[in-house]
Amino acid sequence: MDMHIKPSLEDLLLEVAGGERDTFAALYRAASPQLFALALRILKRRDAAEEVLQEAFVNVWRHAVDFRPERGTAMGWMATIVRNRALDRLRRVRPEMSLDEAPERHGWADPAPDPLASATMSESARRLDDCLERLEDGPRRAIRLAYYQGLTHEALSARLGAPLGTVKSWVRRGLMRLKTCLESKP
């Protein structure tokens, strides 16, 4: 790997599929802030998000050979793993207290950059936000609630006060428009 050219996440993941441990560390450094932010946003507990991130990266290591670049981005593939792990955890155990409710939360300062800030700084996150903003309000809200909070179509329908068929259409068409938008951007 040429040290002057920053490898893409896809390149790193393909090397990890070949068993490259050093590349796995590089993949972790490159992707973990965004993936941690995703887990934290879903779980609302730092300790749970850290555990889910660790489990997800073990899964990435074990299943890197299953990644297919022609089917999507490396970040999308890994984010799906993190999201599914986080949602599984939510289903198993209801969080006892969210970060916002914890009285000692003010003493939890972390010297590292804020994971959410790191995620929003990434190019792919900016592209996704740009594409999401192009959607109408209903589809945009439905996709965000489904992705970040793991709501089902039925729960989305109740939360948004829209018929189930409408919500399903918003999500399906919105995801198709997002895919087209993301594929058209450099």
Side-chain angles (χ1 to χ4, degrees):
M1 185 180 336
D2 185 353
M3 299 310 265
H4 299 288
I5 299 172
K6 184 177 176 184
S8 70
L9 291 177
E10 286 74 16
D11 293 339
L12 292 173
L13 192 52
L14 291 171
E15 285 188 35
V16 167
E20 294 291 330
R21 289 181 184 269
D22 292 338
T23 305
F24 183 69
L27 178 67
Y28 181 86
R29 283 190 304 274
S32 64
Q34 294 89 345
L35 297 174
F36 178 75
L38 172 62
L40 187 60
R41 190 164 185 177
I42 294 170
L43 296 168
K44 310 219 183 333
R45 288 187 44 201
R46 184 177 188 86
D47 61 332
E50 288 170 351
E51 287 178 22
V52 162
L53 184 66
Q54 180 180 359
E55 292 170 9
F57 267 96
V58 168
N59 212 18
V60 166
W61 174 257
R62 289 183 181 153
H63 298 283
V65 296
D66 297 333
F67 171 67
R68 298 290 178 261
E70 64 274 4
R71 296 182 69 196
T73 66
M75 182 56 78
W77 185 78
M78 291 185 293
T80 300
I81 292 172
V82 169
R83 178 182 175 273
N84 290 343
R85 289 273 179 183
L87 294 177
D88 287 346
R89 185 178 181 99
L90 280 178
R91 289 181 191 111
R92 280 194 317 267
V93 180
R94 294 271 184 225
E96 296 166 10
M97 184 181 304
S98 76
L99 285 176
D100 296 332
E101 297 167 348
E104 68 277 4
R105 73 182 181 274
H106 300 293
W108 293 346
D110 186 358
D114 174 64
L116 189 55
S118 295
T120 56
M121 287 187 291
S122 77
E123 179 60 30
S124 57
R126 280 193 296 270
R127 287 177 44 212
L128 179 60
D129 280 344
D130 180 48
C131 290
L132 272 169
E133 288 304 316
R134 294 178 184 192
L135 296 177
E136 294 82 19
D137 185 53
R140 181 176 51 249
R141 288 180 60 213
I143 289 171
R144 283 187 170 151
L145 287 170
Y147 192 79
Y148 291 121
Q149 294 184 14
L151 298 183
T152 63
H153 286 117
E154 292 78 10
L156 286 170
S157 176
R159 172 80 70 87
L160 298 173
L164 181 60
T166 300
V167 169
K168 286 181 179 182
S169 293
W170 282 349
V171 171
R172 183 176 177 277
R173 290 180 185 147
L175 289 174
M176 289 178 2
R177 287 185 56 202
L178 277 179
K179 182 180 180 197
T180 302
C181 179
L182 290 170
E183 288 173 347
S184 69
K185 292 193 170 263

